[in-house]
Amino acid sequence: MSSLFTLLLWAWLMASSFIISGHMVAYASPIATSALRFLLAMLMMLPALWFSWQRAKLNKTEQFRALFASRQRLFHYVVISGALVGFFIGLFVALQSTTPLNTSVLYTLVPLMGVMITRVWLKEMAPLWRVVGFVLGSIGAMTVLFSTQGSSTQDFPIQGNDGFQWHSGDYIFVGACFLLALHVVSVQKWGRSLGALSGAFMIMLFGSLWLLPIALIWGELDQVQWMAQGFWLNILYLTVFTTLFTFVLQQRLVMTVGASRLLAISYTIPVWVALFTALTQSRLLSLVDWPFVAGLVLLGVALFLIDGNLHKVKIADGSNSTAK
């Protein structure tokens, strides 16, 4: 499987997460949804991890103990998962005083933040053309967002009819975006000691430990519609496809193609969201206008500048052994 296809699959699954999470609002609070998807994903991952060890003829008990043998590794995954949980909490808090359009636009700054964190923390200097590519990617993603969502601003009273306006919640979401970029870069920095399955399991485990007390206090669990069929259909999709699969894919991609390429492909997420939304609403032709096309062109140029030879990179199979 080529890296380009895997990257696009990751981006498509991430885009579907935004859409399905919107449907979940009718059944549970965002905090409750996040806690449940992390917890269910962790419980589903455990037998998969167990089976992978058995298939590799490894001692399962020894491998499981090895996951927690290093205090330094535990600290690393507490930080990795904490940064991810911080992004989700920041998003939920920010939406109380800003709009979905604003958060979508600010989300396009995550790759640029990732470049800056990589430069300061990992001491990796990106070439000038790659930095230009990230800037063009942000501009292209914003252009796509404004061309497809600008007409929906009337649905949000706080937004008015003047397009993007800065709100107090945007300060919070900028911080949340920084945490998300920190999460991806920290996986590249610290995640090489574990395979994709083991690393994803540790993120889900500590993510659950971060989220459960938050959900018990602020998750409005008494309002969750446990008996609704739509609740379980949506939460299972979020758990299996946009948590289990995306975490494993992210672990492999960060280790094989790098955090910058993973962050770069996230520029295409607004495109997938726009295409899926237009398709379900039978207005696909409405996207055929110059701002949307211009945004696509900018995204194409940006991805080429960031890594024009991306299609040549191949995924390397990682080991899930933890006991060395």
Side-chain angles (χ1 to χ4, degrees):
M1 182 184 294
S2 70
S3 293
L4 178 59
F5 175 79
T6 310
L7 284 165
L8 290 173
L9 176 61
W10 176 85
W12 187 87
L13 289 172
M14 288 294 294
S16 71
S17 176
F18 284 96
I19 296 169
I20 302 301
S21 294
H23 296 164
M24 276 297 296
V25 175
Y27 304 103
S29 70
I31 291 179
T33 297
S34 298
L36 286 170
R37 66 190 283 191
F38 268 74
L39 181 60
L40 289 174
M42 185 264 293
L43 294 175
M44 291 181 182
M45 174 62 75
L46 189 56
L49 192 60
W50 211 259
F51 175 77
S52 70
W53 289 334
Q54 182 175 3
R55 186 179 180 183
K57 298 181 179 180
L58 298 172
N59 186 296
K60 295 182 285 295
T61 302
E62 182 182 345
Q63 292 297 314
F64 187 77
R65 289 177 178 174
L67 289 175
F68 307 96
S70 170
R71 292 184 179 181
Q72 185 180 49
R73 178 190 290 166
L74 293 178
F75 171 76
H76 290 166
Y77 276 96
V78 167
V79 175
I80 290 172
S81 60
L84 183 61
V85 169
F87 166 75
F88 283 117
I89 300 302
L91 170 61
F92 304 148
V93 174
L95 284 172
Q96 296 176 2
S97 53
T98 188
T99 69
L101 175 60
N102 281 34
T103 57
S104 299
V105 171
L106 293 174
Y107 182 83
T108 64
L109 299 177
V110 172
L112 277 174
M113 292 179 179
V115 171
M116 291 186 293
I117 293 173
T118 301
R119 174 67 183 91
V120 174
W121 188 18
L122 305 187
K123 308 300 182 183
E124 294 182 5
M125 175 68 77
L128 178 60
W129 65 82
R130 176 171 287 186
V131 176
V132 172
F134 278 107
V135 173
L136 289 178
S138 293
I139 296 173
M142 289 181 189
T143 303
V144 169
L145 283 166
F146 282 121
S147 69
T148 57
Q149 298 186 30
S151 60
S152 67
T153 57
Q154 58 187 357
D155 296 332
F156 307 104
I158 193 174
Q159 186 80 21
N161 296 319
D162 300 324
F164 184 94
Q165 295 182 1
W166 192 265
H167 303 295
S168 60
D170 295 326
Y171 293 104
I172 299 173
F173 191 66
V174 167
C177 288
F178 177 84
L179 288 176
L180 181 60
L182 177 64
H183 163 75
V184 176
V185 177
S186 63
V187 170
Q188 177 175 329
K189 171 71 173 178
W190 291 328
R192 297 183 183 275
S193 62
L194 295 177
L197 285 177
S198 300
F201 171 77
M202 295 292 278
I203 294 175
M204 293 174 203
L205 173 62
F206 286 106
S208 298
L209 294 177
W210 277 107
L211 278 167
L212 281 178
I214 297 174
L216 290 173
I217 299 173
W218 295 290
E220 301 176 352
L221 297 181
D222 58 322
Q223 303 297 321
V224 176
Q225 299 186 30
W226 301 99
M227 303 307 295
Q229 182 182 21
F231 168 79
W232 289 106
L233 289 175
N234 285 301
I235 197 66
L236 286 175
Y237 179 88
L238 289 173
T239 298
V240 176
F241 294 101
T242 69
T243 305
L244 275 173
F245 285 0
T246 54
F247 277 25
V248 174
L249 287 175
Q250 176 180 297
Q251 286 285 113
R252 299 189 67 184
L253 287 168
V254 169
M255 294 301 102
T256 53
V257 302
S260 62
R261 290 167 179 165
L262 183 71
L263 290 169
I265 206 67
S266 68
Y267 283 133
T268 66
I269 292 176
V271 178
W272 302 125
V273 173
L275 288 174
F276 182 83
T277 303
L279 185 62
T280 56
Q281 296 178 358
S282 301
R283 56 177 185 86
L284 197 59
L285 292 178
S286 67
L287 298 180
V288 185
D289 56 13
W290 74 264
F292 185 81
V293 174
L296 291 182
V297 172
L298 285 174
L299 285 175
V301 173
L303 292 176
F304 178 78
L305 288 175
I306 293 170
D307 194 346
N309 296 318
L310 183 60
H311 64 281
K312 296 180 181 179
V313 183
K314 300 296 181 180
I315 284 286
D317 291 327
S319 170
N320 286 311
S321 175
T322 57
K324 303 295 184 184

